[in-house]
Short mmCIF file of all heavy atoms in Angstrom, two decimals:
data_model
loop_
_atom_site.label_atom_id
_atom_site.label_comp_id
_atom_site.label_asym_id
_atom_site.label_seq_id
_atom_site.Cartn_x
_atom_site.Cartn_y
_atom_site.Cartn_z
N MET Y 13 -19.92 70.11 74.78
CA MET Y 13 -21.17 69.72 74.17
C MET Y 13 -21.06 68.35 73.50
O MET Y 13 -22.03 67.61 73.47
CB MET Y 13 -21.60 70.75 73.15
CG MET Y 13 -22.29 71.92 73.74
SD MET Y 13 -23.05 72.87 72.46
CE MET Y 13 -22.57 74.48 72.98
N ALA Y 14 -19.90 68.04 72.97
CA ALA Y 14 -19.71 66.75 72.31
C ALA Y 14 -19.83 65.62 73.31
O ALA Y 14 -20.47 64.60 73.04
CB ALA Y 14 -18.36 66.71 71.60
N VAL Y 15 -19.23 65.79 74.48
CA VAL Y 15 -19.30 64.75 75.50
C VAL Y 15 -20.73 64.63 76.03
O VAL Y 15 -21.23 63.53 76.24
CB VAL Y 15 -18.31 65.06 76.64
CG1 VAL Y 15 -18.46 64.08 77.77
CG2 VAL Y 15 -16.89 65.05 76.11
N ALA Y 16 -21.41 65.75 76.23
CA ALA Y 16 -22.80 65.71 76.69
C ALA Y 16 -23.68 65.01 75.67
O ALA Y 16 -24.57 64.23 76.03
CB ALA Y 16 -23.30 67.13 76.95
N SER Y 17 -23.45 65.25 74.39
CA SER Y 17 -24.20 64.59 73.34
C SER Y 17 -23.99 63.09 73.39
O SER Y 17 -24.94 62.31 73.29
CB SER Y 17 -23.77 65.13 71.98
OG SER Y 17 -24.33 64.37 70.95
N PHE Y 18 -22.75 62.67 73.58
CA PHE Y 18 -22.44 61.25 73.67
C PHE Y 18 -23.13 60.60 74.87
O PHE Y 18 -23.76 59.55 74.75
CB PHE Y 18 -20.92 61.06 73.76
CG PHE Y 18 -20.50 59.67 74.10
CD1 PHE Y 18 -20.64 58.64 73.18
CD2 PHE Y 18 -19.98 59.37 75.34
CE1 PHE Y 18 -20.26 57.35 73.51
CE2 PHE Y 18 -19.60 58.09 75.67
CZ PHE Y 18 -19.75 57.08 74.75
N VAL Y 19 -23.03 61.23 76.02
CA VAL Y 19 -23.62 60.67 77.24
C VAL Y 19 -25.14 60.61 77.14
O VAL Y 19 -25.76 59.59 77.48
CB VAL Y 19 -23.17 61.48 78.48
CG1 VAL Y 19 -23.94 61.07 79.71
CG2 VAL Y 19 -21.68 61.32 78.70
N LEU Y 20 -25.76 61.68 76.65
CA LEU Y 20 -27.22 61.68 76.52
C LEU Y 20 -27.69 60.68 75.47
O LEU Y 20 -28.73 60.05 75.64
CB LEU Y 20 -27.71 63.08 76.19
CG LEU Y 20 -27.57 64.11 77.30
CD1 LEU Y 20 -28.06 65.47 76.82
CD2 LEU Y 20 -28.31 63.68 78.54
N GLY Y 21 -26.94 60.53 74.40
CA GLY Y 21 -27.30 59.54 73.39
C GLY Y 21 -27.20 58.13 73.93
O GLY Y 21 -28.06 57.28 73.66
N LEU Y 22 -26.19 57.87 74.71
CA LEU Y 22 -26.02 56.55 75.32
C LEU Y 22 -27.12 56.27 76.34
O LEU Y 22 -27.71 55.20 76.36
CB LEU Y 22 -24.64 56.47 75.97
CG LEU Y 22 -24.13 55.10 76.37
CD1 LEU Y 22 -24.07 54.19 75.16
CD2 LEU Y 22 -22.76 55.24 76.99
N LEU Y 23 -27.41 57.25 77.15
CA LEU Y 23 -28.47 57.11 78.15
C LEU Y 23 -29.84 56.98 77.48
O LEU Y 23 -30.70 56.26 77.96
CB LEU Y 23 -28.45 58.31 79.10
CG LEU Y 23 -29.42 58.29 80.27
CD1 LEU Y 23 -29.10 57.11 81.18
CD2 LEU Y 23 -29.33 59.59 81.03
N GLY Y 24 -30.01 57.66 76.36
CA GLY Y 24 -31.28 57.62 75.64
C GLY Y 24 -31.61 56.26 75.06
O GLY Y 24 -32.78 55.99 74.77
N LEU Y 25 -30.63 55.40 74.89
CA LEU Y 25 -30.94 54.05 74.41
C LEU Y 25 -31.72 53.26 75.45
O LEU Y 25 -32.42 52.30 75.11
CB LEU Y 25 -29.64 53.31 74.06
CG LEU Y 25 -28.96 53.76 72.78
CD1 LEU Y 25 -27.62 53.06 72.64
CD2 LEU Y 25 -29.83 53.51 71.57
N LEU Y 26 -31.63 53.66 76.71
CA LEU Y 26 -32.30 52.93 77.78
C LEU Y 26 -33.57 53.61 78.27
O LEU Y 26 -34.58 52.95 78.51
CB LEU Y 26 -31.34 52.75 78.96
CG LEU Y 26 -30.05 52.01 78.64
CD1 LEU Y 26 -29.13 52.02 79.85
CD2 LEU Y 26 -30.35 50.60 78.21
N VAL Y 27 -33.54 54.92 78.45
CA VAL Y 27 -34.69 55.65 78.99
C VAL Y 27 -34.90 56.96 78.24
O VAL Y 27 -33.95 57.55 77.73
CB VAL Y 27 -34.51 55.96 80.49
CG1 VAL Y 27 -34.49 54.71 81.32
CG2 VAL Y 27 -33.26 56.77 80.74
N LEU Y 28 -36.12 57.39 78.17
CA LEU Y 28 -36.50 58.70 77.62
C LEU Y 28 -35.91 58.97 76.24
O LEU Y 28 -35.46 60.09 75.96
CB LEU Y 28 -36.09 59.82 78.58
CG LEU Y 28 -36.81 59.88 79.91
CD1 LEU Y 28 -36.18 60.93 80.79
CD2 LEU Y 28 -38.28 60.14 79.73
N ASN Y 29 -35.91 57.97 75.38
CA ASN Y 29 -35.29 58.17 74.07
C ASN Y 29 -36.03 59.18 73.21
O ASN Y 29 -35.44 59.78 72.34
CB ASN Y 29 -35.09 56.85 73.34
CG ASN Y 29 -36.34 56.02 73.29
OD1 ASN Y 29 -37.37 56.40 73.79
ND2 ASN Y 29 -36.22 54.86 72.69
N VAL Y 30 -37.30 59.40 73.46
CA VAL Y 30 -38.04 60.39 72.69
C VAL Y 30 -37.55 61.82 73.00
O VAL Y 30 -37.65 62.71 72.17
CB VAL Y 30 -39.57 60.25 72.91
CG1 VAL Y 30 -39.96 60.69 74.30
CG2 VAL Y 30 -40.34 61.00 71.86
N VAL Y 31 -36.99 62.02 74.18
CA VAL Y 31 -36.47 63.33 74.57
C VAL Y 31 -34.96 63.40 74.36
O VAL Y 31 -34.45 64.37 73.76
CB VAL Y 31 -36.80 63.63 76.05
CG1 VAL Y 31 -36.15 64.92 76.51
CG2 VAL Y 31 -38.30 63.66 76.27
N LEU Y 32 -34.25 62.40 74.84
CA LEU Y 32 -32.79 62.45 74.82
C LEU Y 32 -32.20 62.26 73.42
O LEU Y 32 -31.11 62.76 73.15
CB LEU Y 32 -32.21 61.41 75.78
CG LEU Y 32 -32.55 61.62 77.26
CD1 LEU Y 32 -31.95 60.52 78.10
CD2 LEU Y 32 -32.08 62.97 77.73
N GLY Y 33 -32.90 61.56 72.54
CA GLY Y 33 -32.41 61.37 71.18
C GLY Y 33 -32.26 62.68 70.42
O GLY Y 33 -31.16 63.02 69.94
N PRO Y 34 -33.34 63.47 70.31
CA PRO Y 34 -33.21 64.75 69.62
C PRO Y 34 -32.26 65.73 70.31
O PRO Y 34 -31.53 66.47 69.63
CB PRO Y 34 -34.64 65.30 69.63
CG PRO Y 34 -35.51 64.11 69.77
CD PRO Y 34 -34.73 63.14 70.60
N VAL Y 35 -32.23 65.73 71.64
CA VAL Y 35 -31.30 66.61 72.36
C VAL Y 35 -29.86 66.24 72.02
O VAL Y 35 -29.01 67.11 71.79
CB VAL Y 35 -31.55 66.55 73.88
CG1 VAL Y 35 -30.45 67.25 74.64
CG2 VAL Y 35 -32.90 67.15 74.21
N SER Y 36 -29.59 64.96 71.94
CA SER Y 36 -28.24 64.49 71.61
C SER Y 36 -27.85 64.91 70.20
O SER Y 36 -26.72 65.35 69.97
CB SER Y 36 -28.19 62.97 71.75
OG SER Y 36 -26.94 62.48 71.38
N VAL Y 37 -28.77 64.79 69.27
CA VAL Y 37 -28.49 65.18 67.88
C VAL Y 37 -28.22 66.68 67.79
O VAL Y 37 -27.27 67.12 67.12
CB VAL Y 37 -29.66 64.76 66.95
CG1 VAL Y 37 -29.50 65.37 65.58
CG2 VAL Y 37 -29.75 63.25 66.87
N VAL Y 38 -29.03 67.47 68.47
CA VAL Y 38 -28.85 68.93 68.43
C VAL Y 38 -27.53 69.33 69.08
O VAL Y 38 -26.79 70.17 68.53
CB VAL Y 38 -30.04 69.64 69.12
CG1 VAL Y 38 -29.75 71.11 69.33
CG2 VAL Y 38 -31.30 69.46 68.28
N LEU Y 39 -27.21 68.75 70.22
CA LEU Y 39 -25.94 69.08 70.88
C LEU Y 39 -24.74 68.70 70.00
O LEU Y 39 -23.75 69.44 69.93
CB LEU Y 39 -25.83 68.38 72.23
CG LEU Y 39 -26.61 69.00 73.38
CD1 LEU Y 39 -26.50 68.12 74.61
CD2 LEU Y 39 -26.12 70.39 73.67
N ALA Y 40 -24.83 67.56 69.34
CA ALA Y 40 -23.74 67.14 68.47
C ALA Y 40 -23.59 68.08 67.29
O ALA Y 40 -22.47 68.45 66.91
CB ALA Y 40 -23.98 65.71 67.98
N ALA Y 41 -24.70 68.49 66.71
CA ALA Y 41 -24.65 69.41 65.57
C ALA Y 41 -24.06 70.75 65.97
O ALA Y 41 -23.23 71.33 65.25
CB ALA Y 41 -26.06 69.59 64.98
N VAL Y 42 -24.45 71.26 67.12
CA VAL Y 42 -23.91 72.54 67.60
C VAL Y 42 -22.42 72.41 67.90
O VAL Y 42 -21.63 73.30 67.57
CB VAL Y 42 -24.69 73.03 68.84
CG1 VAL Y 42 -24.00 74.22 69.49
CG2 VAL Y 42 -26.11 73.39 68.45
N ALA Y 43 -22.02 71.30 68.51
CA ALA Y 43 -20.60 71.08 68.81
C ALA Y 43 -19.78 71.03 67.53
O ALA Y 43 -18.69 71.61 67.46
CB ALA Y 43 -20.43 69.80 69.62
N LEU Y 44 -20.29 70.33 66.52
CA LEU Y 44 -19.56 70.26 65.25
C LEU Y 44 -19.54 71.62 64.55
O LEU Y 44 -18.54 71.99 63.94
CB LEU Y 44 -20.19 69.20 64.35
CG LEU Y 44 -19.96 67.76 64.78
CD1 LEU Y 44 -20.83 66.82 63.97
CD2 LEU Y 44 -18.50 67.39 64.65
N TRP Y 45 -20.63 72.35 64.63
CA TRP Y 45 -20.70 73.66 63.99
C TRP Y 45 -19.73 74.65 64.64
O TRP Y 45 -19.11 75.46 63.95
CB TRP Y 45 -22.13 74.18 64.08
CG TRP Y 45 -22.33 75.50 63.43
CD1 TRP Y 45 -22.27 75.78 62.09
CD2 TRP Y 45 -22.59 76.74 64.08
NE1 TRP Y 45 -22.49 77.11 61.88
CE2 TRP Y 45 -22.70 77.73 63.10
CE3 TRP Y 45 -22.76 77.09 65.41
CZ2 TRP Y 45 -22.96 79.05 63.39
CZ3 TRP Y 45 -23.03 78.42 65.71
CH2 TRP Y 45 -23.13 79.37 64.71
N ARG Y 46 -19.55 74.53 65.95
CA ARG Y 46 -18.63 75.42 66.66
C ARG Y 46 -17.18 74.98 66.55
O ARG Y 46 -16.28 75.67 67.01
CB ARG Y 46 -19.00 75.49 68.14
CG ARG Y 46 -20.23 76.29 68.41
CD ARG Y 46 -20.43 76.44 69.87
NE ARG Y 46 -21.56 77.30 70.17
CZ ARG Y 46 -21.93 77.62 71.38
NH1 ARG Y 46 -21.26 77.16 72.42
NH2 ARG Y 46 -22.97 78.39 71.57
N GLY Y 47 -16.93 73.81 65.99
CA GLY Y 47 -15.56 73.33 65.82
C GLY Y 47 -14.99 72.73 67.09
O GLY Y 47 -13.96 73.18 67.58
N THR Y 48 -15.63 71.74 67.61
CA THR Y 48 -15.19 71.11 68.85
C THR Y 48 -13.83 70.45 68.70
O THR Y 48 -13.41 70.09 67.60
CB THR Y 48 -16.23 70.06 69.30
OG1 THR Y 48 -15.81 69.49 70.54
CG2 THR Y 48 -16.38 68.95 68.29
N SER Y 49 -13.16 70.30 69.82
CA SER Y 49 -11.87 69.60 69.79
C SER Y 49 -12.07 68.09 69.85
O SER Y 49 -11.10 67.35 69.76
CB SER Y 49 -11.02 70.06 70.98
OG SER Y 49 -11.65 69.72 72.19
N ARG Y 50 -13.30 67.63 70.00
CA ARG Y 50 -13.63 66.21 70.04
C ARG Y 50 -14.67 65.86 68.98
O ARG Y 50 -15.80 65.51 69.30
CB ARG Y 50 -14.16 65.83 71.41
CG ARG Y 50 -13.18 66.05 72.52
CD ARG Y 50 -13.84 65.78 73.85
NE ARG Y 50 -12.94 66.11 74.93
CZ ARG Y 50 -12.33 65.22 75.67
NH1 ARG Y 50 -12.52 63.95 75.46
NH2 ARG Y 50 -11.55 65.60 76.64
N PRO Y 51 -14.32 65.96 67.71
CA PRO Y 51 -15.32 65.69 66.67
C PRO Y 51 -15.78 64.23 66.63
O PRO Y 51 -16.93 63.96 66.31
CB PRO Y 51 -14.61 66.07 65.37
CG PRO Y 51 -13.16 65.98 65.68
CD PRO Y 51 -13.03 66.32 67.14
N GLY Y 52 -14.91 63.31 67.00
CA GLY Y 52 -15.31 61.90 67.02
C GLY Y 52 -16.40 61.65 68.04
O GLY Y 52 -17.36 60.91 67.80
N ARG Y 53 -16.27 62.28 69.20
CA ARG Y 53 -17.28 62.12 70.25
C ARG Y 53 -18.59 62.77 69.81
O ARG Y 53 -19.66 62.26 70.11
CB ARG Y 53 -16.75 62.77 71.52
CG ARG Y 53 -17.47 62.49 72.76
CD ARG Y 53 -17.15 61.18 73.46
NE ARG Y 53 -15.80 60.72 73.48
CZ ARG Y 53 -14.97 60.77 74.51
NH1 ARG Y 53 -15.36 61.30 75.64
NH2 ARG Y 53 -13.77 60.26 74.45
N ALA Y 54 -18.52 63.89 69.10
CA ALA Y 54 -19.73 64.54 68.61
C ALA Y 54 -20.43 63.68 67.56
O ALA Y 54 -21.66 63.53 67.58
CB ALA Y 54 -19.39 65.91 68.03
N TRP Y 55 -19.66 63.09 66.64
CA TRP Y 55 -20.27 62.22 65.63
C TRP Y 55 -20.88 60.98 66.28
O TRP Y 55 -21.96 60.52 65.87
CB TRP Y 55 -19.25 61.80 64.58
CG TRP Y 55 -18.98 62.88 63.58
CD1 TRP Y 55 -17.83 63.59 63.45
CD2 TRP Y 55 -19.88 63.38 62.59
NE1 TRP Y 55 -17.96 64.50 62.44
CE2 TRP Y 55 -19.21 64.39 61.89
CE3 TRP Y 55 -21.18 63.06 62.24
CZ2 TRP Y 55 -19.82 65.10 60.85
CZ3 TRP Y 55 -21.79 63.76 61.21
CH2 TRP Y 55 -21.10 64.76 60.53
N LEU Y 56 -20.23 60.45 67.29
CA LEU Y 56 -20.78 59.30 68.00
C LEU Y 56 -22.06 59.68 68.74
O LEU Y 56 -23.03 58.92 68.76
CB LEU Y 56 -19.74 58.74 68.97
CG LEU Y 56 -20.09 57.42 69.65
CD1 LEU Y 56 -20.38 56.33 68.63
CD2 LEU Y 56 -18.94 57.00 70.54
N GLY Y 57 -22.08 60.85 69.34
CA GLY Y 57 -23.29 61.34 70.00
C GLY Y 57 -24.43 61.52 69.02
O GLY Y 57 -25.59 61.20 69.32
N MET Y 58 -24.12 62.01 67.83
CA MET Y 58 -25.15 62.16 66.80
C MET Y 58 -25.68 60.79 66.36
O MET Y 58 -26.89 60.60 66.22
CB MET Y 58 -24.62 62.94 65.60
CG MET Y 58 -25.70 63.25 64.59
SD MET Y 58 -25.15 64.33 63.26
CE MET Y 58 -24.93 65.85 64.15
N ALA Y 59 -24.78 59.85 66.17
CA ALA Y 59 -25.20 58.51 65.76
C ALA Y 59 -26.05 57.85 66.84
O ALA Y 59 -27.06 57.19 66.54
CB ALA Y 59 -23.97 57.65 65.46
N LEU Y 60 -25.68 58.03 68.10
CA LEU Y 60 -26.47 57.46 69.19
C LEU Y 60 -27.83 58.14 69.30
O LEU Y 60 -28.83 57.48 69.61
CB LEU Y 60 -25.71 57.57 70.51
CG LEU Y 60 -24.56 56.60 70.68
CD1 LEU Y 60 -23.75 56.97 71.92
CD2 LEU Y 60 -25.05 55.18 70.78
N GLY Y 61 -27.89 59.43 69.04
CA GLY Y 61 -29.17 60.14 69.06
C GLY Y 61 -30.10 59.63 67.98
O GLY Y 61 -31.30 59.42 68.21
N VAL Y 62 -29.56 59.39 66.80
CA VAL Y 62 -30.37 58.82 65.71
C VAL Y 62 -30.77 57.39 66.07
O VAL Y 62 -31.92 56.99 65.82
CB VAL Y 62 -29.59 58.88 64.38
CG1 VAL Y 62 -30.29 58.11 63.30
CG2 VAL Y 62 -29.38 60.34 63.96
N ALA Y 63 -29.87 56.64 66.67
CA ALA Y 63 -30.20 55.27 67.08
C ALA Y 63 -31.31 55.27 68.13
O ALA Y 63 -32.16 54.38 68.12
CB ALA Y 63 -28.95 54.58 67.62
N ASP Y 64 -31.32 56.27 69.01
CA ASP Y 64 -32.40 56.39 69.99
C ASP Y 64 -33.75 56.48 69.29
O ASP Y 64 -34.71 55.82 69.67
CB ASP Y 64 -32.22 57.63 70.86
CG ASP Y 64 -31.04 57.56 71.79
OD1 ASP Y 64 -30.49 56.45 71.95
OD2 ASP Y 64 -30.67 58.60 72.33
N LEU Y 65 -33.81 57.31 68.27
CA LEU Y 65 -35.07 57.50 67.56
C LEU Y 65 -35.45 56.26 66.74
O LEU Y 65 -36.63 55.93 66.63
CB LEU Y 65 -34.98 58.74 66.66
CG LEU Y 65 -34.74 60.04 67.43
CD1 LEU Y 65 -34.56 61.20 66.47
CD2 LEU Y 65 -35.89 60.31 68.40
N VAL Y 66 -34.47 55.57 66.22
CA VAL Y 66 -34.75 54.34 65.47
C VAL Y 66 -35.28 53.26 66.42
O VAL Y 66 -36.25 52.56 66.11
CB VAL Y 66 -33.49 53.85 64.72
CG1 VAL Y 66 -33.67 52.45 64.18
CG2 VAL Y 66 -33.14 54.82 63.61
N VAL Y 67 -34.66 53.13 67.59
CA VAL Y 67 -35.13 52.16 68.58
C VAL Y 67 -36.56 52.48 69.00
O VAL Y 67 -37.40 51.59 69.11
CB VAL Y 67 -34.18 52.13 69.81
CG1 VAL Y 67 -34.82 51.42 70.99
CG2 VAL Y 67 -32.87 51.49 69.44
N LEU Y 68 -36.86 53.75 69.20
CA LEU Y 68 -38.21 54.16 69.56
C LEU Y 68 -39.20 53.80 68.46
O LEU Y 68 -40.27 53.26 68.72
CB LEU Y 68 -38.26 55.65 69.85
CG LEU Y 68 -39.64 56.21 70.18
CD1 LEU Y 68 -40.16 55.61 71.48
CD2 LEU Y 68 -39.61 57.71 70.25
N ALA Y 69 -38.85 54.09 67.20
CA ALA Y 69 -39.75 53.79 66.09
C ALA Y 69 -40.00 52.29 65.95
O ALA Y 69 -41.14 51.86 65.75
CB ALA Y 69 -39.16 54.35 64.80
N VAL Y 70 -38.95 51.49 66.08
CA VAL Y 70 -39.11 50.04 65.97
C VAL Y 70 -39.95 49.50 67.13
O VAL Y 70 -40.85 48.69 66.93
CB VAL Y 70 -37.72 49.35 65.93
CG1 VAL Y 70 -37.84 47.85 66.11
CG2 VAL Y 70 -37.02 49.68 64.63
N ALA Y 71 -39.68 49.98 68.34
CA ALA Y 71 -40.45 49.51 69.50
C ALA Y 71 -41.91 49.91 69.39
O ALA Y 71 -42.80 49.14 69.76
CB ALA Y 71 -39.84 50.06 70.78
N MET Y 72 -42.17 51.10 68.86
CA MET Y 72 -43.55 51.53 68.68
C MET Y 72 -44.26 50.68 67.64
O MET Y 72 -45.44 50.35 67.79
CB MET Y 72 -43.60 53.01 68.31
CG MET Y 72 -43.32 53.91 69.47
SD MET Y 72 -43.23 55.70 69.14
CE MET Y 72 -44.08 55.94 67.64
N GLN Y 73 -43.57 50.31 66.58
CA GLN Y 73 -44.17 49.48 65.55
C GLN Y 73 -44.45 48.07 66.07
O GLN Y 73 -45.47 47.47 65.75
CB GLN Y 73 -43.27 49.39 64.32
CG GLN Y 73 -43.23 50.65 63.50
CD GLN Y 73 -44.58 50.97 62.89
OE1 GLN Y 73 -45.31 50.09 62.47
NE2 GLN Y 73 -44.90 52.25 62.86
N LEU Y 74 -43.55 47.54 66.87
CA LEU Y 74 -43.73 46.18 67.39
C LEU Y 74 -44.83 46.10 68.45
O LEU Y 74 -45.54 45.10 68.53
CB LEU Y 74 -42.42 45.66 67.97
CG LEU Y 74 -41.32 45.39 66.96
CD1 LEU Y 74 -40.04 44.98 67.67
CD2 LEU Y 74 -41.75 44.33 65.96
N SER Y 75 -44.98 47.15 69.24
CA SER Y 75 -45.98 47.11 70.31
C SER Y 75 -47.29 47.78 69.91
O SER Y 75 -48.25 47.74 70.68
CB SER Y 75 -45.42 47.78 71.57
OG SER Y 75 -45.21 49.15 71.34
N HIS Y 76 -47.35 48.41 68.74
CA HIS Y 76 -48.55 49.10 68.24
C HIS Y 76 -49.07 50.14 69.23
O HIS Y 76 -50.27 50.23 69.47
CB HIS Y 76 -49.65 48.08 67.91
CG HIS Y 76 -49.24 47.07 66.90
ND1 HIS Y 76 -49.02 47.41 65.59
CD2 HIS Y 76 -48.99 45.76 67.01
CE1 HIS Y 76 -48.65 46.34 64.93
NE2 HIS Y 76 -48.62 45.32 65.77
N THR Y 77 -48.16 50.88 69.81
CA THR Y 77 -48.54 51.93 70.75
C THR Y 77 -47.55 53.09 70.62
O THR Y 77 -46.53 52.97 69.95
CB THR Y 77 -48.57 51.40 72.19
OG1 THR Y 77 -49.02 52.45 73.05
CG2 THR Y 77 -47.21 50.92 72.64
N VAL Y 78 -47.86 54.19 71.27
CA VAL Y 78 -47.00 55.37 71.19
C VAL Y 78 -45.83 55.26 72.16
O VAL Y 78 -44.80 55.86 71.96
CB VAL Y 78 -47.82 56.64 71.47
CG1 VAL Y 78 -46.95 57.88 71.46
CG2 VAL Y 78 -48.93 56.77 70.45
N SER Y 79 -45.99 54.49 73.22
CA SER Y 79 -44.92 54.34 74.21
C SER Y 79 -44.50 52.87 74.28
O SER Y 79 -45.18 52.00 73.78
CB SER Y 79 -45.41 54.81 75.58
OG SER Y 79 -46.45 54.00 76.01
N TRP Y 80 -43.38 52.64 74.93
CA TRP Y 80 -42.91 51.27 75.09
C TRP Y 80 -42.16 51.17 76.41
O TRP Y 80 -41.74 52.15 76.98
CB TRP Y 80 -42.04 50.84 73.94
CG TRP Y 80 -40.72 51.54 73.85
CD1 TRP Y 80 -40.49 52.77 73.34
CD2 TRP Y 80 -39.46 51.07 74.31
NE1 TRP Y 80 -39.17 53.09 73.43
CE2 TRP Y 80 -38.53 52.06 74.02
CE3 TRP Y 80 -39.05 49.89 74.92
CZ2 TRP Y 80 -37.18 51.91 74.34
CZ3 TRP Y 80 -37.73 49.76 75.23
CH2 TRP Y 80 -36.81 50.76 74.93
N SER Y 81 -42.00 49.97 76.90
CA SER Y 81 -41.24 49.73 78.11
C SER Y 81 -40.51 48.40 77.97
O SER Y 81 -40.90 47.55 77.18
CB SER Y 81 -42.15 49.71 79.33
OG SER Y 81 -43.08 48.66 79.22
N LEU Y 82 -39.48 48.23 78.77
CA LEU Y 82 -38.69 47.00 78.73
C LEU Y 82 -39.39 45.88 79.41
O LEU Y 82 -40.07 45.95 80.33
CB LEU Y 82 -37.33 47.23 79.36
CG LEU Y 82 -36.41 48.18 78.62
CD1 LEU Y 82 -35.14 48.39 79.40
CD2 LEU Y 82 -36.09 47.65 77.25
#
């Protein structure tokens, strides 16, 4: 789950960040709660998931719309 959180968080920076960001955060939280053997990867996945949501919020504010594109 930690690796999946990291990959989805990284992918979420480019596409579907409104979906992949929260999924990444939830997967990281579950991985940490279960005691993963890769806590660094889980924390990185959580940080990337939060970054996905921050990028979405900033892009929405700059474009004055609910969606954004590159």
Side-chain angles (χ1 to χ4, degrees):
M13 278 192 225
V15 174
S17 171
F18 170 71
V19 170
L20 291 178
L22 194 58
L23 184 62
L25 287 173
L26 301 175
V27 294
L28 294 173
N29 50 0
V30 71
V31 174
L32 296 179
V35 170
S36 177
V37 170
V38 169
L39 282 175
V42 170
L44 289 170
W45 181 68
R46 287 187 176 182
T48 182
S49 62
R50 298 175 185 253
R53 192 81 39 104
W55 282 111
L56 188 57
M58 186 173 291
L60 286 171
V62 171
D64 292 347
L65 298 176
V66 169
V67 165
L68 177 65
V70 168
M72 285 176 21
Q73 287 296 322
L74 292 175
S75 66
H76 302 291
T77 183
V78 177
S79 63
W80 68 280
S81 62
L82 294 176

